[in-house]
Amino acid sequence: MKKLLFALAVLVLAPAAWADVWINPGFYSHHFDKSKDLNNNNHGFGVEATISKTYSVTAGVFENSDRQTSHYIGAYVMPFQVGALKAGAAVGAFDGYPKMRDGGWFPALVPTMAIEGRRVGLNISYTPKIGDKLNSALSFQVKFNIAP
């Protein structure tokens, strides 16, 4: 319940002036190291609010690859755009990964692309491997625009 309340608080606090407010049910991740029993179904709840064509803010919660609860907060910076396709990075912080700062918060820069229609979109991001602390994955996040 705390997970849902965290993400909902972000949504409730979102200014009405933001053009788009997206919600998502977490991620699906394709992990490159098949020898580990990593969780690919990273269900959760997240919110993304558009500030401009280039910037949006995001926050949420999900079950990570290590089957632990993770939270995230940050911004998408997507300066490259062609039609419905955007490219750039997510810049922010995550927690909940046991081998990364003992599960505490850590900064992250995650290369990301997005394909956005009026009501449905898809974020695609690449997480690089960081030693034995974080496993590499290609993640897919379906999102739904709830703005009027």
Side-chain angles (χ1 to χ4, degrees), residues 29-41:
S29 297
H30 171 78
H31 292 92
F32 298 105
D33 187 346
K34 299 297 182 192
S35 68
K36 297 180 180 177
D37 184 29
L38 298 170
N39 179 25
N40 289 322
N41 186 10

Side-chain angles (χ1 to χ4, degrees), residues 40-110:
N40 289 322
N41 186 10
N42 312 121
H43 64 274
F45 183 80
V47 178
E48 178 183 337
T50 303
I51 297 172
S52 70
K53 285 186 173 188
T54 302
Y55 300 99
S56 59
V57 293
T58 187
V61 61
F62 64 99
E63 183 179 319
N64 68 32
S65 303
D66 297 318
R67 293 176 176 79
Q68 302 293 315
T69 299
S70 282
H71 301 89
Y72 62 92
I73 188 164
Y76 287 104
V77 181
M78 306 291 246
F80 307 105
Q81 299 178 21
V82 177
L85 178 66
K86 296 180 177 184
V91 181
F94 290 81
D95 76 350
Y97 288 86
K99 293 183 179 179
M100 186 65 125
R101 295 199 178 170
D102 294 320
W105 287 92
F106 62 93
L109 176 66
V110 181

